[in-house]
Amino acid sequence: MQPLPARMCAFPGRGRRAALSLLLVLHAAPAPAQVPTPGLPLPSASIVLEVDARDIDHRLFAVDERIAVSPGPLTLQYPRWIPGTHSPIGNVARLAGLQMLAAGQALAWVRDPVDVEAFHVVVPSGVDTLELRFQHLSSTQVGEDEDIVHDLLAVDWRGLVLYPAGAPAATLRVAATAILPDGWEAVGALRAPAPGCAPPVPPAGVPNRLDFPPLSLEQLVDSPLYGAARVRHRVLDTDPQHPVCLHVLANEPAQLDASDEQLAAYARLVQQARVLFGARHYDHYDFILVVDDHFGRHGGLEHHQSSENGVKRGYFTDPDRTLSVRSLLAHEFTHSWNGKFRRPRDLWTATYNTPMQGSLLWVYEGLTTYWGQVLAARSGLVPAAAARGNFADLAAGALQRAGRSWRNLQDTTTEPAMARPVRRKDWVDWQRAADYYAEGSLLWLAVDVKIRELTRDRRSLDDFARRFFGGDDGRMEPELYDFDDIVRALDDIAHADWAALLRQRLDTHDNAGLLDGLEHGGWRLAFADQPGEFTRSIDEMADTTSLLDSLGVAIAKDGSLARVVWGSPAFAAGLAAGDAVVAVNGRSYRPDLLKDAVKRSRTDTAPIAFLVLDADLYRNVAVDYHGGLRYPQLERIAGEKDLLSEILAPR
């Protein structure tokens, strides 16, 4: 073992030899406690955590943490494996200025040279409290998952705490405090259940200091707190036992305005989910929705009693443009049942530094993607035609996955563990990525249709939802499951060799059965020369010109190739992601010019001529394509029952 460089340690007045000696002592510490089962009783509070979030100019959080300790060697860990992300995304590099003190005296600490999220220290005799002081530094670069942007911030407790190694998150009690900038409001699940949606109220005389009662570290990390200068609160479910609230945060006041019609659709989402699952596993639920172009948390992250949702400007004010992200809240809400209450056994871990395994992500995320689409349609968030367009887009994308020949769907569930830190995939069709979302949705559509066929439409996947994810109304402790549990539950609904059917979709390397759900549901994938409203919304939200199903390219606003489909005409001609299109057929590139060239390719015998800039090299590239414009859509199969429309109809 090589000694640690002195510059890596907060070791005032001590050298590398002392650091190494301390590390050797600490490595002799007892092994961590055994992992318990969920739902054990909680001991008294052992961590007091105060987060000062007022320095928005420098985009940093100042943290003061006190931990109950015993004398002797101690290892503290920074959370790494985060529920909901299924991956080691904890970024310890954003922790800075770490000091450890006992009775006001600074202690020497050492970072583990292999497990860099672990910090070793020796607690002196007679000391029962260890104080930590440090900062969490939010990114100052726009679009890099920053925690603070202008008048918005996210107090994400997972990045603001160190905890004793091996201590189960469900049994550690934390008394947390957050201090927000003056005049800001806080939203999140850390509030007492109430019929309304009022935010937490600071104590008298202490502006914007929010003290929360002790709760488990598991509950705290699962309950992020957002703050903003501008917030709108809407009640979606007035049930006093299970209220549901929508909190909209934005830097621009106009982005807060949702119409009564839009809000009614979200209220129907809550109602349709209640009908689907038949039980609720939350005391109250809070949708946190940030509408902003620069806040880097676009997309969603599920929690048991809340969800973080980030969308671009225009979500309410330009609804046609944002149609393709309208199922986001339905997806994250579904996770309260699928992922938080019922959880795959190998995705549940007692600590945040125990690696997760995602073998059942095709259930956790794939089934949630399916129900997110279905619930968005049933509630009216997405019109039926656009919902079909969503399935058409998923189907066309799945057929493009040339990488299926070497990497099956089951193997893509390893993606979260191997894709951190996030790296761009230039050949996503060949490499494959998190396909358990989109292809998982198609798989579960096939299961739904199969159940309806087997039972002559007397049962459906809705029955599976109520039996497997409902029940135990009000229960919040996770109930774990594995592959065999899924198979048994499906067999209880309709008898079939579900294990073989599922394994065929998960383990094989061909397209057999890929579109069974659509085709047995009365629809087939087809292509038109004009994009449907859903496909058009995808391009508008991404600021791209998509010709994925014709040339095999998606072109960014600046003319660079955002994506080239493996094996497509563009690929065959030698184009790659990152190339910049300068000219098409001898004229300066414009999206409409390229679309016109593709449209005329049906009758033009000459290839489409591109001038592209590859780094500092100009290249002439001829794409020999003659199929015209092609955009995915669904068309009815004559004589087949329209099960898809039945599935999407409100209950």
PDB file of all heavy atoms in Angstrom, residues 534-557:
ATOM      1  N   PHE A 534     -46.986  13.971 -31.743  1.00  0.00           N
ATOM      2  CA  PHE A 534     -46.062  13.511 -30.722  1.00  0.00           C
ATOM      3  C   PHE A 534     -44.624  13.567 -31.237  1.00  0.00           C
ATOM      4  O   PHE A 534     -43.726  14.071 -30.556  1.00  0.00           O
ATOM      5  CB  PHE A 534     -46.410  12.089 -30.272  1.00  0.00           C
ATOM      6  CG  PHE A 534     -45.599  11.624 -29.088  1.00  0.00           C
ATOM      7  CD1 PHE A 534     -46.021  11.909 -27.804  1.00  0.00           C
ATOM      8  CD2 PHE A 534     -44.414  10.929 -29.261  1.00  0.00           C
ATOM      9  CE1 PHE A 534     -45.268  11.516 -26.702  1.00  0.00           C
ATOM     10  CE2 PHE A 534     -43.652  10.534 -28.167  1.00  0.00           C
ATOM     11  CZ  PHE A 534     -44.089  10.826 -26.891  1.00  0.00           C
ATOM     12  N   THR A 535     -44.383  13.055 -32.442  1.00  0.00           N
ATOM     13  CA  THR A 535     -43.048  13.081 -33.031  1.00  0.00           C
ATOM     14  C   THR A 535     -42.564  14.514 -33.211  1.00  0.00           C
ATOM     15  O   THR A 535     -41.397  14.837 -32.950  1.00  0.00           O
ATOM     16  CB  THR A 535     -43.043  12.355 -34.384  1.00  0.00           C
ATOM     17  OG1 THR A 535     -43.497  11.013 -34.190  1.00  0.00           O
ATOM     18  CG2 THR A 535     -41.657  12.332 -34.998  1.00  0.00           C
ATOM     19  N   ARG A 536     -43.458  15.390 -33.658  1.00  0.00           N
ATOM     20  CA  ARG A 536     -43.093  16.798 -33.852  1.00  0.00           C
ATOM     21  C   ARG A 536     -42.700  17.438 -32.523  1.00  0.00           C
ATOM     22  O   ARG A 536     -41.749  18.226 -32.455  1.00  0.00           O
ATOM     23  CB  ARG A 536     -44.267  17.536 -34.487  1.00  0.00           C
ATOM     24  CG  ARG A 536     -43.948  18.964 -34.895  1.00  0.00           C
ATOM     25  CD  ARG A 536     -44.999  19.519 -35.837  1.00  0.00           C
ATOM     26  NE  ARG A 536     -46.349  19.332 -35.338  1.00  0.00           N
ATOM     27  CZ  ARG A 536     -47.245  18.492 -35.873  1.00  0.00           C
ATOM     28  NH1 ARG A 536     -46.928  17.764 -36.947  1.00  0.00           N
ATOM     29  NH2 ARG A 536     -48.455  18.393 -35.362  1.00  0.00           N
ATOM     30  N   SER A 537     -43.395  17.071 -31.449  1.00  0.00           N
ATOM     31  CA  SER A 537     -43.071  17.616 -30.135  1.00  0.00           C
ATOM     32  C   SER A 537     -41.686  17.178 -29.670  1.00  0.00           C
ATOM     33  O   SER A 537     -40.962  17.964 -29.047  1.00  0.00           O
ATOM     34  CB  SER A 537     -44.128  17.183 -29.115  1.00  0.00           C
ATOM     35  OG  SER A 537     -43.743  17.514 -27.807  1.00  0.00           O
ATOM     36  N   ILE A 538     -41.293  15.943 -29.969  1.00  0.00           N
ATOM     37  CA  ILE A 538     -39.957  15.466 -29.591  1.00  0.00           C
ATOM     38  C   ILE A 538     -38.895  16.365 -30.210  1.00  0.00           C
ATOM     39  O   ILE A 538     -37.943  16.798 -29.556  1.00  0.00           O
ATOM     40  CB  ILE A 538     -39.749  14.003 -30.032  1.00  0.00           C
ATOM     41  CG1 ILE A 538     -40.682  13.074 -29.252  1.00  0.00           C
ATOM     42  CG2 ILE A 538     -38.296  13.585 -29.824  1.00  0.00           C
ATOM     43  CD1 ILE A 538     -40.620  11.636 -29.714  1.00  0.00           C
ATOM     44  N   ASP A 539     -39.034  16.654 -31.497  1.00  0.00           N
ATOM     45  CA  ASP A 539     -38.069  17.514 -32.180  1.00  0.00           C
ATOM     46  C   ASP A 539     -38.053  18.920 -31.599  1.00  0.00           C
ATOM     47  O   ASP A 539     -36.987  19.512 -31.406  1.00  0.00           O
ATOM     48  CB  ASP A 539     -38.393  17.589 -33.671  1.00  0.00           C
ATOM     49  CG  ASP A 539     -37.759  16.459 -34.463  1.00  0.00           C
ATOM     50  OD1 ASP A 539     -37.198  15.557 -33.830  1.00  0.00           O
ATOM     51  OD2 ASP A 539     -37.832  16.485 -35.704  1.00  0.00           O
ATOM     52  N   GLU A 540     -39.218  19.443 -31.312  1.00  0.00           N
ATOM     53  CA  GLU A 540     -39.291  20.807 -30.813  1.00  0.00           C
ATOM     54  C   GLU A 540     -38.683  20.923 -29.422  1.00  0.00           C
ATOM     55  O   GLU A 540     -37.979  21.896 -29.119  1.00  0.00           O
ATOM     56  CB  GLU A 540     -40.740  21.288 -30.807  1.00  0.00           C
ATOM     57  CG  GLU A 540     -41.298  21.501 -32.214  1.00  0.00           C
ATOM     58  CD  GLU A 540     -42.762  21.897 -32.202  1.00  0.00           C
ATOM     59  OE1 GLU A 540     -43.381  21.849 -31.115  1.00  0.00           O
ATOM     60  OE2 GLU A 540     -43.288  22.249 -33.278  1.00  0.00           O
ATOM     61  N   MET A 541     -38.913  19.920 -28.582  1.00  0.00           N
ATOM     62  CA  MET A 541     -38.338  19.954 -27.236  1.00  0.00           C
ATOM     63  C   MET A 541     -36.819  19.790 -27.266  1.00  0.00           C
ATOM     64  O   MET A 541     -36.100  20.368 -26.461  1.00  0.00           O
ATOM     65  CB  MET A 541     -38.966  18.859 -26.369  1.00  0.00           C
ATOM     66  CG  MET A 541     -40.407  19.138 -25.986  1.00  0.00           C
ATOM     67  SD  MET A 541     -40.575  20.636 -24.983  1.00  0.00           S
ATOM     68  CE  MET A 541     -39.767  20.118 -23.476  1.00  0.00           C
ATOM     69  N   ALA A 542     -36.323  18.981 -28.210  1.00  0.00           N
ATOM     70  CA  ALA A 542     -34.891  18.716 -28.293  1.00  0.00           C
ATOM     71  C   ALA A 542     -34.157  19.701 -29.196  1.00  0.00           C
ATOM     72  O   ALA A 542     -32.927  19.659 -29.279  1.00  0.00           O
ATOM     73  CB  ALA A 542     -34.657  17.290 -28.792  1.00  0.00           C
ATOM     74  N   ASP A 543     -34.908  20.581 -29.884  1.00  0.00           N
ATOM     75  CA  ASP A 543     -34.305  21.511 -30.854  1.00  0.00           C
ATOM     76  C   ASP A 543     -33.501  20.756 -31.903  1.00  0.00           C
ATOM     77  O   ASP A 543     -32.353  21.102 -32.203  1.00  0.00           O
ATOM     78  CB  ASP A 543     -33.416  22.537 -30.145  1.00  0.00           C
ATOM     79  CG  ASP A 543     -34.213  23.721 -29.621  1.00  0.00           C
ATOM     80  OD1 ASP A 543     -35.292  24.001 -30.185  1.00  0.00           O
ATOM     81  OD2 ASP A 543     -33.774  24.354 -28.652  1.00  0.00           O
ATOM     82  N   THR A 544     -34.087  19.696 -32.436  1.00  0.00           N
ATOM     83  CA  THR A 544     -33.429  18.903 -33.468  1.00  0.00           C
ATOM     84  C   THR A 544     -34.340  18.744 -34.675  1.00  0.00           C
ATOM     85  O   THR A 544     -35.559  18.919 -34.583  1.00  0.00           O
ATOM     86  CB  THR A 544     -33.065  17.493 -32.956  1.00  0.00           C
ATOM     87  OG1 THR A 544     -34.258  16.830 -32.526  1.00  0.00           O
ATOM     88  CG2 THR A 544     -32.073  17.547 -31.818  1.00  0.00           C
ATOM     89  N   THR A 545     -33.725  18.398 -35.792  1.00  0.00           N
ATOM     90  CA  THR A 545     -34.453  17.974 -36.980  1.00  0.00           C
ATOM     91  C   THR A 545     -34.220  16.480 -37.104  1.00  0.00           C
ATOM     92  O   THR A 545     -33.095  16.025 -37.335  1.00  0.00           O
ATOM     93  CB  THR A 545     -33.935  18.693 -38.238  1.00  0.00           C
ATOM     94  OG1 THR A 545     -34.133  20.102 -38.075  1.00  0.00           O
ATOM     95  CG2 THR A 545     -34.663  18.215 -39.481  1.00  0.00           C
ATOM     96  N   SER A 546     -35.271  15.701 -36.901  1.00  0.00           N
ATOM     97  CA  SER A 546     -35.117  14.251 -36.870  1.00  0.00           C
ATOM     98  C   SER A 546     -35.489  13.626 -38.212  1.00  0.00           C
ATOM     99  O   SER A 546     -36.614  13.801 -38.700  1.00  0.00           O
ATOM    100  CB  SER A 546     -35.986  13.651 -35.764  1.00  0.00           C
ATOM    101  OG  SER A 546     -35.917  12.243 -35.792  1.00  0.00           O
ATOM    102  N   LEU A 547     -34.524  12.921 -38.765  1.00  0.00           N
ATOM    103  CA  LEU A 547     -34.744  12.109 -39.971  1.00  0.00           C
ATOM    104  C   LEU A 547     -34.237  10.699 -39.690  1.00  0.00           C
ATOM    105  O   LEU A 547     -33.619  10.051 -40.529  1.00  0.00           O
ATOM    106  CB  LEU A 547     -34.005  12.740 -41.163  1.00  0.00           C
ATOM    107  CG  LEU A 547     -34.473  14.156 -41.538  1.00  0.00           C
ATOM    108  CD1 LEU A 547     -33.479  14.822 -42.476  1.00  0.00           C
ATOM    109  CD2 LEU A 547     -35.863  14.111 -42.162  1.00  0.00           C
ATOM    110  N   LEU A 548     -34.529  10.224 -38.478  1.00  0.00           N
ATOM    111  CA  LEU A 548     -33.997   8.946 -38.010  1.00  0.00           C
ATOM    112  C   LEU A 548     -34.515   7.770 -38.821  1.00  0.00           C
ATOM    113  O   LEU A 548     -33.795   6.788 -39.014  1.00  0.00           O
ATOM    114  CB  LEU A 548     -34.348   8.751 -36.529  1.00  0.00           C
ATOM    115  CG  LEU A 548     -33.682   9.732 -35.551  1.00  0.00           C
ATOM    116  CD1 LEU A 548     -34.279   9.577 -34.160  1.00  0.00           C
ATOM    117  CD2 LEU A 548     -32.175   9.511 -35.514  1.00  0.00           C
ATOM    118  N   ASP A 549     -35.750   7.850 -39.310  1.00  0.00           N
ATOM    119  CA  ASP A 549     -36.352   6.717 -40.007  1.00  0.00           C
ATOM    120  C   ASP A 549     -36.222   6.823 -41.523  1.00  0.00           C
ATOM    121  O   ASP A 549     -36.810   6.028 -42.251  1.00  0.00           O
ATOM    122  CB  ASP A 549     -37.817   6.585 -39.602  1.00  0.00           C
ATOM    123  CG  ASP A 549     -37.962   6.281 -38.117  1.00  0.00           C
ATOM    124  OD1 ASP A 549     -37.632   5.154 -37.724  1.00  0.00           O
ATOM    125  OD2 ASP A 549     -38.364   7.182 -37.359  1.00  0.00           O
ATOM    126  N   SER A 550     -35.460   7.802 -41.976  1.00  0.00           N
ATOM    127  CA  SER A 550     -35.171   7.929 -43.411  1.00  0.00           C
ATOM    128  C   SER A 550     -33.658   7.901 -43.602  1.00  0.00           C
ATOM    129  O   SER A 550     -33.076   6.836 -43.800  1.00  0.00           O
ATOM    130  CB  SER A 550     -35.793   9.198 -43.991  1.00  0.00           C
ATOM    131  OG  SER A 550     -35.468  10.337 -43.213  1.00  0.00           O
ATOM    132  N   LEU A 551     -33.000   9.047 -43.499  1.00  0.00           N
ATOM    133  CA  LEU A 551     -31.540   9.078 -43.625  1.00  0.00           C
ATOM    134  C   LEU A 551     -30.843   8.384 -42.461  1.00  0.00           C
ATOM    135  O   LEU A 551     -29.748   7.854 -42.618  1.00  0.00           O
ATOM    136  CB  LEU A 551     -31.044  10.529 -43.699  1.00  0.00           C
ATOM    137  CG  LEU A 551     -31.437  11.366 -44.911  1.00  0.00           C
ATOM    138  CD1 LEU A 551     -30.770  12.724 -44.827  1.00  0.00           C
ATOM    139  CD2 LEU A 551     -31.046  10.664 -46.202  1.00  0.00           C
ATOM    140  N   GLY A 552     -31.488   8.430 -41.279  1.00  0.00           N
ATOM    141  CA  GLY A 552     -30.854   7.861 -40.091  1.00  0.00           C
ATOM    142  C   GLY A 552     -30.054   8.886 -39.316  1.00  0.00           C
ATOM    143  O   GLY A 552     -29.034   8.547 -38.712  1.00  0.00           O
ATOM    144  N   VAL A 553     -30.512  10.164 -39.301  1.00  0.00           N
ATOM    145  CA  VAL A 553     -29.804  11.210 -38.573  1.00  0.00           C
ATOM    146  C   VAL A 553     -30.784  12.072 -37.789  1.00  0.00           C
ATOM    147  O   VAL A 553     -31.958  12.193 -38.141  1.00  0.00           O
ATOM    148  CB  VAL A 553     -28.988  12.130 -39.523  1.00  0.00           C
ATOM    149  CG1 VAL A 553     -27.909  11.350 -40.246  1.00  0.00           C
ATOM    150  CG2 VAL A 553     -29.898  12.850 -40.506  1.00  0.00           C
ATOM    151  N   ALA A 554     -30.269  12.669 -36.719  1.00  0.00           N
ATOM    152  CA  ALA A 554     -30.940  13.755 -36.014  1.00  0.00           C
ATOM    153  C   ALA A 554     -29.940  14.889 -35.959  1.00  0.00           C
ATOM    154  O   ALA A 554     -28.790  14.696 -35.541  1.00  0.00           O
ATOM    155  CB  ALA A 554     -31.360  13.333 -34.614  1.00  0.00           C
ATOM    156  N   ILE A 555     -30.369  16.078 -36.401  1.00  0.00           N
ATOM    157  CA  ILE A 555     -29.455  17.200 -36.559  1.00  0.00           C
ATOM    158  C   ILE A 555     -29.834  18.292 -35.568  1.00  0.00           C
ATOM    159  O   ILE A 555     -30.991  18.717 -35.500  1.00  0.00           O
ATOM    160  CB  ILE A 555     -29.502  17.753 -38.001  1.00  0.00           C
ATOM    161  CG1 ILE A 555     -29.270  16.610 -38.998  1.00  0.00           C
ATOM    162  CG2 ILE A 555     -28.467  18.848 -38.193  1.00  0.00           C
ATOM    163  CD1 ILE A 555     -29.387  17.040 -40.441  1.00  0.00           C
ATOM    164  N   ALA A 556     -28.834  18.748 -34.795  1.00  0.00           N
ATOM    165  CA  ALA A 556     -29.070  19.790 -33.807  1.00  0.00           C
ATOM    166  C   ALA A 556     -29.270  21.139 -34.484  1.00  0.00           C
ATOM    167  O   ALA A 556     -29.043  21.302 -35.689  1.00  0.00           O
ATOM    168  CB  ALA A 556     -27.898  19.853 -32.832  1.00  0.00           C
ATOM    169  N   LYS A 557     -29.679  22.097 -33.673  1.00  0.00           N
ATOM    170  CA  LYS A 557     -30.000  23.423 -34.188  1.00  0.00           C
ATOM    171  C   LYS A 557     -28.813  24.061 -34.907  1.00  0.00           C
ATOM    172  O   LYS A 557     -28.978  24.810 -35.873  1.00  0.00           O
ATOM    173  CB  LYS A 557     -30.452  24.304 -33.025  1.00  0.00           C
ATOM    174  CG  LYS A 557     -31.135  25.589 -33.405  1.00  0.00           C
ATOM    175  CD  LYS A 557     -31.669  26.294 -32.163  1.00  0.00           C
ATOM    176  CE  LYS A 557     -32.436  27.554 -32.522  1.00  0.00           C
ATOM    177  NZ  LYS A 557     -32.973  28.223 -31.297  1.00  0.00           N
TER     178      LYS A 557
END
